[in-house]
Amino acid sequence: MGKHPIIANGEIYAEPVSKALGGGPKQMPRGYFEAKQRIINALDVLTQDIAEGEEVFLDERIICIRLEPKFEAKSYIPSALINAMSSGSSKIVGGRKYTVYGDERGLSAKLYFVRTTDSGINQLKATLQNGDRDNVEQWQQQIRSIHTINLLKPDEKIMGFADDWQAGTVEFVLHPLPSSTEDEISAFFIHSGINADNARIKTYDDGITFISASCTSENVQRVKEYNPLRAVHPMGSISVTPMRNVVGSLCPSVHPSSAKPDIHIGVFDGGADDSHPLLNGYVTAVDGSTEPAMHELLEHGTGVCSTILYGNLAGKKGSDVLNPPCVSVVCYRVLPIHDYHDYDLYEVIDFIENVVPKSQETKLYNLSIGPVGAIVDDSISRFTYALDKLAYEVPDGIENPLFVVAVGNDGELPPTFNRIQSPSDIVNGLGVGAYTYDANGKKAPTSYSCVGPGREGAKTKPDLLDFGGSLDHPFIVPSLDHTSLCATAGTSFSAPMVTGKIGKLMAMSTRVSPHMGRTLLIHNAEIDNSIPKDNQGFGFCAENVSDILECTDKHVTIMYSGIILPSQFLSLPIFAPRINEMHGNVSITWTVSVVVAPYANDPDAYTNNCLEDVFAPHSMTFNFTKSGMAPQKINLLDDAKIPLVRNLIDSGYKQSSVPVSHPAKRVWDEDDLRAVDLKWDTIIHKGVSMRSSSLFNPTLTLHALGRNGFETEKIRYNVVVSIDAPRYEGSLYDSILQTYQNLTPIEIRNINRLIV
């Protein structure tokens, strides 16, 4: 069976479609007038709490509008209440989840943080009491969806601390108060008792402020009643994976190359020895730290760079000659940091935020460093937000950078301390865990690799597993002595394995961007259904990425990439000519990735945009519906059904605006869509297996959604679709290219011939 290059330009055949949106009215927990009186009572208590100094306030107050459980859709954002607060100065400045405790167990629900004044609170109360809006439907719906309005409890701000925590580095997050940011920060230090000289501060354009400081539990307790404080979580120390020399091992050499590869990969680490024979000519070391280099950090960074260039050196001997790398590396030495207590690595983040926008030729980065400590759902670290923001904010026509990040090595800690570590919880990049081999030679997640789930926007984490080594199967990298090898293990090395594979895909084809490489690796990952998803994410990364860029006659992969307009429905054809004429089953898999704006003010709505997907297997099968009657699904290509269709229409049935989807879309609550369909996540990865007779011009329709003021943003997407039709007569690959002549096989470069 012949091998062929995968096919590109699928987006040329994409078509906008119009679609009627479904969904009906939601059952409300209580009547309007009961709900209204509850809110008036809550506002009385809130006003009293403010007057009695329950918290330390500035001129503006941050209050919480807490919704009932199951009211998470953006249609329930309490915009009508905000408009009722005086003079337009009140504003939603973020949100998060909270827990509503009923008779038996706590239920998760949504709260919104609102910046307002005393007059705004009084105006809302007056509007409720005078009844001016009692007959406005949107007002009624929003009032009935609210559980209460109050202050964020001090203990709701503190998250992720162990019971015995006494002192350490902590990250504080302050609400946006743009008119008085300086006063807000000054008051923070006064009320916390923290020395401002021992802290690092970063305020972003959207007004949110991150403060990293070394402090004690007493400082945390003192500041938890500071009203502008949104969240506080601890950060661990910085640690790097130790190395040990492999006795008697000699380092291989590399075949001389006549040219430096033109695919550039950036590495932020502890430095690299670019004079090492394996790195010389391929790695450029740049000092980004004012402190002297440290041996163990230099060893770590050198190993990471070698991994990107050559992978794992296990089994290599001194007599071996390696193929020259197909990528080059710029290694920025960002460790050690100047401030020993800067465990949140604000110095490193500052450096990255300065370098990445200026490095137009580098669009792929590896981070095998980061602060130790599990992520918490209700708070975003500055490191994560900074990388997601850098990945998204690029000028039109410029490729989005991709960050590949190690998930951390605390997988053996008890839950939830074994969860992935920032910034691997990024939504616009890849978080990579580690696998090794068990006693039977089978791939298995390592015990040390941190586990998922990820956060809202990227709930599947780690994204991928790659080989990271273990005691029985160590990961081998070059030693700084230039002659021998070192043994190690950690996600520090599984991450650059993935980075190097994306670099290789980019070197093999100019049609593969970093984010298309991200999509291809997830699309081709190998899942083990006996392993929990939180331990493997989308699965084990392909070992030989050259295979990813190949099709066979019966198994065809097509790439699509482009821009989808806000609120648009875009139909992507799944190219399968005459597929309904064959016998047997057909498998279709698809992977969609997007790059979206992050919103640190609301960890529960961290992604401002997303795509929803609908797979329609048969373009001529429609639903016919009538109120109170069971829907009828009819294939309009079946001539015998034409009289039935006429009768249905004559009796008041309506034909659906789009073909029937598979699986049939249910009318789900927002929280079910998030939990089951992973709505608002940046990756969609699905597949179906169907009888070929059920397929006719199948399509994948994408629907662009926005929230948090990003409803008018275009979304950049990458899609990979594979069709596996083992009993197709002739070559499906040839049939596709003959039928759709704007599709083109990608050109695959022989990377070794290119370089040597």
Side-chain angles (χ1 to χ4, degrees):
M1 191 176 288
K3 294 287 183 76
H4 317 285
I6 65 174
I7 297 170
N9 292 346
E11 67 278 0
I12 290 176
Y13 292 91
E15 292 184 355
V17 295
S18 58
K19 181 182 177 184
L21 294 173
K26 192 177 183 73
Q27 185 174 353
M28 292 292 178
R30 61 186 62 86
Y32 170 66
F33 289 100
E34 180 191 352
K36 185 171 88 162
Q37 190 57 50
R38 278 171 57 97
I39 295 176
I40 292 171
N41 295 342
L43 291 174
D44 286 338
V45 175
L46 173 64
T47 303
Q48 185 176 347
D49 287 345
I50 293 172
E52 293 176 355
E54 283 294 312
E55 292 208 316
V56 177
F57 296 96
L58 300 183
D59 291 339
E60 294 176 296
R61 286 77 165 94
I62 301 293
I63 65 172
C64 301
I65 298 181
R66 300 178 189 254
L67 303 190
E68 294 285 358
K70 304 281 188 182
F71 286 84
E72 293 169 333
K74 65 176 185 176
S75 55
Y76 294 105
I77 295 172
S79 53
L81 275 76
I82 308 305
N83 293 336
M85 293 180 172
S86 59
S87 68
S89 60
S90 301
K91 183 182 179 183
I92 293 176
V93 292
R96 57 171 274 193
K97 287 284 188 72
Y98 80 105
T99 303
V100 181
Y101 289 100
D103 296 335
E104 297 179 7
R105 60 186 179 86
L107 292 174
S108 179
K110 178 83 180 188
L111 72 77
Y112 287 96
F113 295 112
V114 176
R115 185 178 70 227
T116 188
T117 59
D118 289 343
S119 64
I121 297 168
N122 293 333
Q123 183 62 45
L124 174 59
K125 181 180 174 183
T127 303
L128 286 161
Q129 288 175 325
N130 64 34
D132 287 350
R133 305 191 185 188
D134 283 354
N135 295 321
V136 179
E137 185 177 351
Q138 183 198 27
W139 173 262
Q140 284 193 15
Q141 295 289 85
Q142 290 189 6
I143 293 296
R144 294 172 72 188
S145 70
I146 291 172
H147 182 71
T148 192
I149 301 178
N150 58 11
L151 300 172
L152 191 68
K153 298 182 184 72
D155 289 339
E156 287 181 287
K157 303 175 185 180
I158 300 176
M159 50 195 71
F161 286 85
D163 292 339
D164 58 352
W165 192 90
Q166 293 297 317
T169 300
V170 168
E171 186 168 64
F172 300 88
V173 186
L174 303 185
H175 287 290
L177 297 178
S179 61
S180 56
T181 302
E182 290 185 12
D183 293 341
E184 179 187 24
I185 294 170
S186 298
F188 166 84
F189 287 112
I190 292 169
H191 291 290
S192 66
I194 296 169
N195 186 342
D197 293 337
N198 296 334
R200 293 183 171 271
I201 306 162
K202 174 67 177 182
T203 300
Y204 283 94
D205 293 341
D206 55 12
I208 199 164
T209 297
F210 295 91
I211 298 176
S212 171
S214 179
C215 66
T216 66
S217 58
E218 181 186 351
N219 298 126
V220 173
Q221 291 301 315
R222 283 181 58 171
V223 81
K224 71 180 183 180
E225 292 177 349
Y226 182 54
N227 180 249
L229 178 66
R230 186 196 191 293
V232 49
H233 54 258
M235 305 300 286
S237 59
I238 307 157
S239 67
V240 296
T241 310
M243 313 273 188
R244 56 184 172 85
N245 281 333
V246 181
V247 179
S249 64
L250 292 177
C251 190
S253 58
V254 60
H255 197 290
S257 168
S258 60
K260 191 173 186 177
D262 58 2
I263 301 296
H264 303 277
I265 295 175
V267 169
F268 298 103
D269 213 288
D273 178 5
D274 56 4
S275 69
H276 192 288
L278 288 185
L279 274 56
N280 188 23
Y282 300 106
V283 175
T284 303
V286 176
D287 268 345
S289 170
T290 57
E291 298 300 296
M294 292 174 60
H295 183 272
E296 62 266 32
L297 297 175
L298 202 60
E299 202 169 40
H300 184 269
T302 299
V304 167
C305 292
S306 168
T307 302
I308 290 173
L309 299 178
Y310 306 106
N312 177 25
L313 296 180
K316 302 298 181 185
K317 306 185 294 294
S319 57
D320 289 331
V321 181
L322 306 176
N323 286 327
C326 56
V327 299
S328 59
V329 173
V330 179
C331 182
Y332 299 97
R333 185 175 70 82
V334 293
L335 296 178
I337 48 179
H338 177 69
D339 180 358
Y340 178 76
H341 294 293
D342 180 20
Y343 291 145
D344 295 352
L345 300 182
Y346 276 35
E347 281 180 31
V348 174
I349 302 168
D350 290 343
F351 182 82
I352 293 172
E353 287 180 326
N354 182 49
V355 164
V356 171
K358 297 176 182 176
S359 305
Q360 291 301 317
E361 63 181 12
T362 305
K363 292 298 174 186
L364 177 59
Y365 293 92
N366 187 93
L367 282 97
S368 290
I369 58 170
V372 174
I375 65 165
V376 289
D377 286 319
D378 291 326
S379 188
I380 302 278
S381 81
R382 182 194 164 198
F383 211 155
T384 298
Y385 178 58
L387 296 191
D388 276 325
K389 196 171 164 68
L390 287 168
Y392 172 76
E393 290 184 350
V394 296
D396 284 346
I398 300 297
E399 198 63 57
N400 298 80
L402 176 73
F403 297 94
V404 182
V405 187
V407 298
N409 300 326
D410 281 346
E412 293 172 346
L413 293 179
T416 57
F417 299 101
N418 62 344
R419 200 170 168 195
I420 64 166
Q421 302 172 349
S422 71
S424 70
D425 55 331
I426 51 173
V427 298
N428 289 330
L430 288 172
V432 180
Y435 73 76
T436 185
Y437 296 94
D438 63 18
N440 299 316
K442 183 185 175 186
K443 293 177 184 175
T446 63
S447 59
Y448 61 74
S449 185
C450 286
V451 302
R455 68 172 53 263
E456 186 67 36
K459 289 182 281 291
T460 302
K461 289 282 180 178
D463 291 280
L464 294 165
L465 300 183
D466 212 314
F467 182 73
S470 61
L471 201 58
D472 296 333
H473 301 276
F475 198 102
I476 305 299
V477 296
S479 166
L480 291 183
D481 65 12
H482 290 203
T483 59
S484 60
L485 296 171
C486 287
T488 186
T491 58
S492 282
F493 302 100
S494 58
M497 287 285 282
V498 169
T499 308
K501 287 173 180 177
I502 294 176
K504 185 175 182 180
L505 289 171
M506 293 167 62
M508 292 177 70
S509 172
T510 56
R511 301 305 300 267
V512 179
S513 66
H515 282 274
M516 179 57 83
R518 166 196 182 199
T519 316
L520 283 165
L521 287 188
I522 289 174
H523 185 74
N524 289 276
E526 175 190 347
I527 200 82
D528 185 336
N529 291 320
S530 68
I531 297 172
K533 189 171 185 179
D534 286 347
N535 292 60
Q536 63 176 331
F538 292 108
F540 298 84
C541 192
E543 292 187 50
N544 185 1
V545 293
S546 302
D547 297 341
I548 287 176
L549 298 183
E550 292 181 339
C551 302
T552 64
D553 289 331
K554 316 284 190 185
H555 184 97
V556 183
T557 298
I558 299 124
M559 301 191 300
Y560 314 66
S561 60
I563 300 288
I564 183 168
L565 301 176
S567 302
Q568 184 181 36
F569 289 88
L570 192 67
S571 178
L572 305 179
I574 295 174
F575 306 100
R578 305 188 318 279
I579 198 77
N580 56 321
E581 297 173 11
M582 63 167 271
H583 298 288
N585 277 13
V586 176
S587 294
I588 299 175
T589 54
W590 60 93
T591 305
V592 182
S593 77
V594 291
V595 182
V596 301
Y599 186 54
N601 303 41
D602 191 346
D604 182 53
Y606 181 55
T607 46
N608 283 318
N609 301 94
C610 77
L611 295 181
E612 289 184 305
D613 66 310
V614 176
F615 171 66
H618 198 292
S619 66
M620 295 302 289
T621 298
F622 292 85
N623 270 327
F624 288 79
T625 56
K626 181 180 177 181
S627 179
M629 306 295 289
Q632 304 240 20
K633 185 170 72 173
I634 299 175
N635 177 359
L636 298 184
L637 291 182
D638 186 346
D639 292 339
K641 296 290 176 65
I642 299 304
L644 172 61
V645 171
R646 289 199 186 104
N647 288 336
L648 289 173
I649 291 174
D650 289 344
S651 60
Y653 279 79
K654 291 186 177 179
Q655 180 183 329
S656 59
S657 60
V658 294
V660 174
S661 63
H662 179 89
K665 282 285 178 184
R666 306 205 321 247
V667 179
W668 277 342
D669 283 325
E670 175 76 8
D671 56 340
D672 292 328
L673 283 168
R674 292 186 186 192
V676 179
D677 212 41
L678 303 187
K679 185 184 178 186
W680 296 106
D681 278 23
T682 54
I683 297 287
I684 298 167
H685 180 58
K686 296 178 182 174
V688 296
S689 180
M690 303 183 70
R691 300 291 296 174
S692 57
S693 55
S694 303
L695 296 167
F696 180 76
N697 293 338
T699 58
L700 182 67
T701 299
L702 303 177
H703 176 210
L705 296 174
R707 58 184 174 184
N708 302 328
F710 279 74
E711 287 79 0
T712 59
E713 288 295 301
K714 298 179 291 188
I715 303 177
R716 186 174 293 191
Y717 68 86
N718 288 287
V719 177
V720 179
V721 175
S722 291
I723 307 113
D724 187 33
R727 298 179 66 181
Y728 191 89
E729 287 191 18
S731 170
L732 174 62
Y733 186 89
D734 290 342
S735 294
I736 290 171
L737 292 179
Q738 288 162 10
T739 307
Y740 303 95
Q741 296 189 2
N742 287 322
L743 298 178
T744 55
I746 65 169
E747 291 185 23
I748 299 179
R749 301 189 287 183
N750 185 320
I751 50 178
N752 290 333
R753 187 182 303 160
L754 187 76
I755 293 167
V756 175

